[in-house]
């Protein structure tokens, strides 16, 4: 697979191109019955407009995706939202399939955590939501009280505080990886509850981090799991 790079990207791990990753998902999931017209893609990514390119690439490979997006890419739609997505999944002889992409993001264009945006002087933060959450955690915000007028950011701080406990707040790359882990745990919990004796739901969960380089996006691949008839298989990463 092709391997883009940029200054400071060692902090986020080995990179591959977005098309290469998505080509691999099609090849790796095909033996399990997952194809563009037999599976519904779902994307759990940040609301940032920088993520539109990744979502468009998912659409090009898997068809139009159900949007689970929130600040930082933390899945906050809950059981009701996922049940709604399941209602949109193709019915392939009584079997439903979901391909879920959980990818928070980070800038690496002018320094780790920074990006250039058209028409905006200098650089701005990416992911800004993770950066703001880090600042809140460093300042001692407990995450216990939720602001009803800032619910997504409040829940992001709450989830991260719950995982960290009293540990030191990590730097931005490590905090982004923490968001990925929290997202994967939440999604796996919700996905595992979908199948019933009368409804067969197979699912795949692919996760990593989107890295915004100077003129292209790249990704890290952290984990890929496919569950068919309740049996879970960890997919070997691409080489």
């Amino acid at each position: 697979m092709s391997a883009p790079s940029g200054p400071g990207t060692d902090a986020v791990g080995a990179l591959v191109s977005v098309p290469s990753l998505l080509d691999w998902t099609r090849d790796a999931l095909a033996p399990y019955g997952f194809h563009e017209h037999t599976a519904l893609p779902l994307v759990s990514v940040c609301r940032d407009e920088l993520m539109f390119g990744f979502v468009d690439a998912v659409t090009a490979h898997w068809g139009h995706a159900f949007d689970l997006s929130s600040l930082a890419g933390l899945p906050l739609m809950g059981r009701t939202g996922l049940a709604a997505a399941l209602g949109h999944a193709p019915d392939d002889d009584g079997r439903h399939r979901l391909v879920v992409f959980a990818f928070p993001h980070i800038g690496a264009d002018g320094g780790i955590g920074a990006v250039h945006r058209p028409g905006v002087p200098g650089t701005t933060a990416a992911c800004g939501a993770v950066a703001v959450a880090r600042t809140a955690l460093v300042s001692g915000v407990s995450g216990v009280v939720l602001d009803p007028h800032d619910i997504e950011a409040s829940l992001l701080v709450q989830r991260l505080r719950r995982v960290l406990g009293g540990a030191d707040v990590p730097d931005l790359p490590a905090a982004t990886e923490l968001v990925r882990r929290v997202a994967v745990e939440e999604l796996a919990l919700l996905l595992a509850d979908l199948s019933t004796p009368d409804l067969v739901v197979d699912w795949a969960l692919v996760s990593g981090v989107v890295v915004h380089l100077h003129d292209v996006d790249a990704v890290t691949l952290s984990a890929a799991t496919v569950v068919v008839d309740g049996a879970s298989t960890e997919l070997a990463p691409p080489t």
Side-chain angles (χ1 to χ4, degrees):
M1 299 180 77
S2 56
S5 63
T9 55
D10 289 348
V12 296
L15 301 180
V16 299
S17 73
V18 174
S20 294
L21 172 77
L22 293 171
D23 286 344
W24 174 79
T25 63
R26 285 197 306 200
D27 294 341
L29 292 173
Y32 298 92
F34 291 78
H35 305 279
E36 180 179 351
H37 299 295
T38 66
L40 177 71
L42 290 72
V43 290
S44 185
V45 299
C46 185
R47 296 183 181 279
D48 195 320
E49 74 279 1
L50 292 175
M51 290 302 297
F52 289 172
F54 179 79
V55 175
D56 287 346
V58 171
T59 298
H61 284 75
W62 284 99
H64 291 293
F66 191 97
D67 190 359
L68 308 178
S69 298
S70 69
L71 290 180
L74 194 68
L76 300 176
M77 71 296 166
R79 294 184 177 89
T80 299
L82 199 59
L86 181 59
H88 303 179
D91 184 339
D92 184 26
D93 292 330
R95 188 176 295 271
H96 298 74
R97 298 179 181 90
L98 303 174
V99 183
V100 186
F101 295 91
F103 280 79
H105 69 138
I106 191 170
D109 176 17
I112 291 297
V115 292
H116 290 88
R117 300 176 190 266
V120 180
T123 60
T124 59
C127 176
V130 177
V132 169
R134 280 194 71 255
T135 299
L137 291 166
V138 168
S139 70
V141 174
S142 67
V144 173
V145 178
L146 297 180
D147 182 347
H149 302 293
D150 201 11
I151 195 68
E152 290 189 3
S154 295
L155 285 169
L156 175 61
V157 171
Q158 182 188 79
R159 298 287 180 87
L160 295 180
R161 175 60 75 193
R162 186 180 300 165
V163 174
L164 288 170
D168 290 342
V169 178
D171 62 14
L172 188 63
T176 305
E177 168 59 16
L178 188 60
V179 170
R180 184 201 67 82
R181 283 173 39 205
V182 171
V184 166
E185 289 171 4
E186 176 73 4
L187 288 164
L189 178 87
L190 297 174
L191 289 162
D193 287 342
L194 289 177
S195 283
T196 70
D198 300 318
L199 181 67
V200 179
V201 182
D202 297 335
W203 51 271
L205 177 53
V206 182
S207 68
V209 175
V210 174
V211 182
H212 306 294
L213 304 173
H214 177 64
D215 55 358
V216 68
D217 287 346
V219 292
T220 68
L221 174 62
S222 300
T225 304
V226 59
V227 176
V228 176
D229 290 326
S232 177
T233 302
E234 298 297 321
L235 299 177
T239 56

